[in-house]
Amino acid sequence: MLKTLEEKKEREPIPPLKPKPYYRPIGKEMDVFEHAYQNKIPFLLKGPTGTGKSRFIEFMAHKLGKTLITVSCHEETSSTDLIGRYIIKGAETVWLDGPLTIAVKTGAILYLDEIAEARPDIIVAIHSLTDHRRELFIDKLGQTIKAHGDFMLVASFNPGYQRGFKELKPSTRQRFVAVTFNYPKAKAETEILINETEILSADAKKLVNIANKIRNLTELGLAETVSTRLLVDAAKLIRTGLPKRLAVHVAVVEPLTDDEEVINALNDLCDLMI
């Protein structure tokens, strides 16, 4: 006997709620985000990789009870990827909304991670969404869509990494409320490692000390320095039984550089500190 759609839905298990992401506030960034959301102002996160920008957005979306749509931008990311495109479906040509269009229509939070990496036409596409108009023009459909009242545009970029060849223009930056993220102070970073991995407090402190030591070694010329993300990876390896020095070598030192001399120097330094 066939069941009705309603009966089938009643028997389907309810999917479990996603666990609340852990986030340790560093300043007033949560208050700023909530006020930006209430006032429908786009939000820009600036800072080095691995400082918690993406985790913060996940946390705030969960806190506000909003759907989060994340797009990791790169040099091939175009406005078509965001807005949508025509696709062949069977014998028909149909329009498929992209993540930006979906977010605009449904009132989701759209997070453009590393927006400066994307092609310039992305910036053009979002301009009308970042001012009083709050609308999206879809050229291929000849339609203009007003953003849902709950829609919010969030973007991030790394000014230090992109300086010199990829920067956001002032005309774009000034459309956002901006907050700078940096590496947490030692006490806060230690708390983050303990909460993320359940590592022993003494080991967490040693990892943070190693990170701060390397961060101050500007003479090594590292393109990126030790992020909190790398420390979390090292802490997870230690927590599951990998020898501490080996964990630091593979999770902290090796991802930073391919220069053999620098790797050896950093390994020697880390071995003395853990």
Side-chain angles (χ1 to χ4, degrees):
M1 182 177 179
L2 293 175
K3 299 288 184 181
T4 66
L5 183 60
E6 288 73 17
E7 288 176 324
K8 287 182 180 179
K9 284 184 176 179
E10 287 179 4
R11 292 179 175 273
E12 289 177 357
I14 299 173
L17 292 174
K18 290 184 178 180
K20 185 177 182 179
Y22 172 75
Y23 179 76
R24 203 270 192 197
I26 303 301
K28 298 292 184 181
E29 65 271 24
M30 290 173 59
D31 291 340
V32 175
F33 188 93
E34 289 194 37
H35 281 273
Y37 179 78
Q38 292 171 12
N39 288 282
K40 299 178 172 55
I41 303 174
F43 194 89
L44 179 66
L45 301 94
K46 305 185 294 179
T49 183
T51 51
K53 300 189 295 295
S54 296
R55 175 61 64 89
F56 170 68
I57 296 304
E58 291 175 8
F59 175 84
M60 291 308 301
H62 190 284
K63 186 174 188 291
L64 295 171
K66 302 302 300 177
T67 299
L68 175 64
I69 300 174
T70 299
V71 178
S72 297
C73 299
H74 51 81
E75 61 273 9
E76 297 300 322
T77 306
S78 68
S79 60
T80 298
D81 296 320
L82 284 189
I83 295 174
R85 52 168 49 89
Y86 282 106
I87 63 170
I88 305 298
K89 190 174 183 180
E92 296 180 317
T93 300
V94 297
W95 173 261
L96 182 67
D97 283 340
L100 175 59
T101 305
I102 293 171
V104 166
K105 288 180 176 179
T106 62
I109 295 174
L110 180 75
Y111 176 39
L112 300 178
D113 189 17
E114 298 294 354
I115 187 174
E117 290 288 328
R119 285 165 43 174
D121 60 332
I122 291 278
I123 305 301
V124 175
I126 66 172
H127 264 195
S128 59
L129 284 167
T130 55
D131 59 25
H132 65 282
R133 292 172 289 178
R134 280 177 57 85
E135 61 186 27
L136 174 66
F137 177 63
I138 303 179
D139 180 55
K140 292 179 180 178
L141 297 179
Q143 295 180 1
T144 298
I145 302 173
K146 285 287 185 181
H148 188 287
D150 292 338
F151 168 74
M152 184 178 191
L153 179 64
V154 181
S156 72
F157 84 115
N158 181 346
Y161 174 67
Q162 272 120 13
R163 185 177 293 121
F165 73 102
K166 283 190 177 179
E167 271 284 3
L168 286 180
K169 294 180 180 179
S171 59
T172 300
R173 293 162 67 110
Q174 292 178 22
R175 293 169 179 268
F176 292 80
V177 166
V179 172
T180 296
F181 277 61
N182 216 319
Y183 303 112
K185 292 183 179 180
K187 182 179 178 182
E189 197 162 32
T190 301
E191 289 179 13
I192 290 170
L193 295 187
I194 294 171
N195 276 279
E196 285 280 328
T197 69
E198 299 183 351
I199 192 175
L200 295 176
S201 175
D203 291 334
K205 289 178 181 178
K206 289 177 181 178
L207 289 174
V208 171
N209 288 339
I210 286 172
N212 286 325
K213 184 69 174 178
I214 296 176
R215 288 166 186 165
N216 291 323
L217 294 176
T218 54
E219 65 273 14
L220 292 179
L222 297 172
E224 293 280 358
T225 190
V226 182
S227 67
T228 304
R229 181 187 298 133
L230 293 185
L231 296 185
V232 169
D233 290 343
K236 288 178 178 177
L237 297 177
I238 293 171
R239 179 70 178 80
T240 54
L242 195 69
K244 297 173 186 178
R245 289 180 176 176
L246 178 57
V248 172
H249 290 182
V250 299
V252 176
V253 175
E254 289 285 351
L256 290 179
T257 180
D258 297 319
D259 188 305
E260 188 174 346
E261 289 186 6
V262 175
I263 288 174
N264 291 335
L266 290 177
N267 280 338
D268 290 342
L269 171 66
C270 295
D271 287 350
L272 292 173
M273 299 182 69
I274 195 165

